[in-house]
Amino acid sequence: MNIRITGSGSYIPNRVVTNADFAKHLFLDDDGTPLSYTNEVVTEKFKQITGIEERRYVEENLLTSDIAYFAAQKAIEDAKIDPETLDYIIFAHNFGNVKDGAIQTDILPSLASRVKHSLKIKNPKCVAYDILFGCPGWVEGVIQAQAYIKAGMAKRCLVIGAETLSRVVDPHDRDSMIYSDGAGASIIEATEDEGGILAHETASYTFEEAYFLFFGNSFNKDHDPDVRYIKMYGRKIYEFALSRVPQAMKECLEKSGVSIDNVKKILIHQANEKMDEAIVQRFYKLHGKSVPEKVMPMSIHTLGNSSVATIPTLYDLLIKGQLEDQGLNKGDIVIFASVGAGMNINAFVYQI
């Protein structure tokens, strides 16, 4: 028995927001004072560091659970399964449903329950629940699905990662340009086919790192202090990721028994192009190797950072041949890796 991704789907919102669209924003420092340079300079520096040129936002009438349902439908169709045969629906997100213009999150009922309802699944033994694990949530959902299958508690699971970060960002914080919306979903099941998940690794660093990402007040001191937005200590996150993620990937690869020379692709959370490049370079340096060409496909340039949705969306685009000059082939060894709020890191080695 091998545990494989047998179907995938994603939902990429239609609304494109370019860096130029931030030209009229009033960006402030954390002390509330205006930045000392123009927005043109801000966006150019931003692009150089993150690689992001544009991102996607959902339409006003859509919620996180809606776009998750769209991605789940596609994954179910791709896997050619009856949704009634699903044993678990595991939904990774961080902020629940936030209506356009609202200041309150809605996670009652759970978003997984809402997706199950939308899929019209009647089977009560299809267990639906949410996980909050920062950006690594979808990867962790896959690891949990694998555990259920290995334990004999499940044969088939639906794992979703979806987020509408555009509704929880401070418009006066230049970091708000990083975030985007999107959804990705995968069917994980036991099969007789070769390959699948070969090893995994997960860790939570909370002693000093717990609040590197947090909910905080707007940089605009005139805003309601009871309204909170996603905030981060970018430099601390960068240093943490660079020191911890390559080592976790190395340990995971060692568990798998696969040589680094056989790794074809690394699907890393699309957080920041320069950070991701540095992580992969450090990973290969730990093995005394140089980074192979095209080993790290990227979607962040046009899709931004949609948190838990970045990796399943990237996988879906790759497996369906929708990324130019990139793809996945039968037998390829792939490392999935992520880092995010918690601070959590995780990875798994997978053979296509």
Side-chain angles (χ1 to χ4, degrees), residues 6 56 82 93 111 145 150 169 214 232 263 283 330 333 344:
T6 60
R56 302 296 183 99
D82 178 355
H93 64 85
L111 270 56
K150 277 189 171 182
V169 294
F214 61 99
M232 66 177 178
V263 173
F283 170 65
K330 184 70 175 175
I333 298 293
N344 300 311

Side-chain angles (χ1 to χ4, degrees), residues 26-147:
L26 174 60
F27 288 122
L28 305 171
D29 269 324
D30 56 5
D31 62 1
T33 60
L35 299 183
S36 59
Y37 30 85
T38 67
N39 283 6
E40 184 178 29
V41 173
V42 171
T43 54
E44 183 56 36
K45 286 185 176 181
F46 171 82
K47 178 184 173 183
Q48 291 172 4
I49 294 169
T50 67
I52 299 172
E53 299 175 36
E54 57 187 46
R55 72 284 295 140
R56 302 296 183 99
Y57 290 172
V58 295
E59 302 297 334
E60 293 178 358
N61 63 313
L62 294 176
L63 299 169
T64 302
S65 58
D66 295 326
I67 63 175
Y69 163 63
F70 300 152
Q73 270 189 316
K74 292 178 181 178
I76 289 167
E77 291 169 4
D78 190 42
K80 299 178 176 61
I81 63 165
D82 178 355
E84 293 290 342
T85 64
L86 288 169
D87 297 299
Y88 282 88
I89 297 174
I90 305 170
F91 192 149
H93 64 85
N94 295 294
F95 301 103
N97 279 349
V98 180
K99 289 184 178 180
D100 182 60
I103 62 171
Q104 186 178 38
T105 185
D106 178 5
I107 52 172
L108 185 65
S110 74
L111 270 56
S113 293
R114 298 179 201 217
V115 170
K116 181 182 175 183
H117 173 78
S118 296
L119 290 170
K120 295 181 170 56
I121 296 173
K122 294 181 179 179
N123 177 14
K125 293 189 177 181
C126 170
V127 178
Y129 69 93
D130 296 359
I131 59 172
L132 305 178
F133 201 71
C135 294
W138 177 84
V139 172
E140 197 63 22
V142 171
I143 292 169
Q144 290 184 7
Q146 176 200 217

Side-chain angles (χ1 to χ4, degrees), residues 220-238:
N220 187 333
K221 304 308 177 183
D222 292 331
H223 276 209
D224 185 340
D226 291 328
V227 179
R228 305 292 186 89
Y229 305 89
I230 184 171
K231 296 287 180 177
M232 66 177 178
Y233 295 116
R235 172 51 58 178
K236 289 184 177 181
I237 293 170
Y238 182 93

Side-chain angles (χ1 to χ4, degrees), residues 328-349:
L328 295 172
N329 301 301
K330 184 70 175 175
D332 283 355
I333 298 293
V334 182
I335 300 176
F336 292 72
S338 190
V339 57
M343 290 290 292
N344 300 311
I345 55 173
N346 53 18
F348 65 88
V349 178

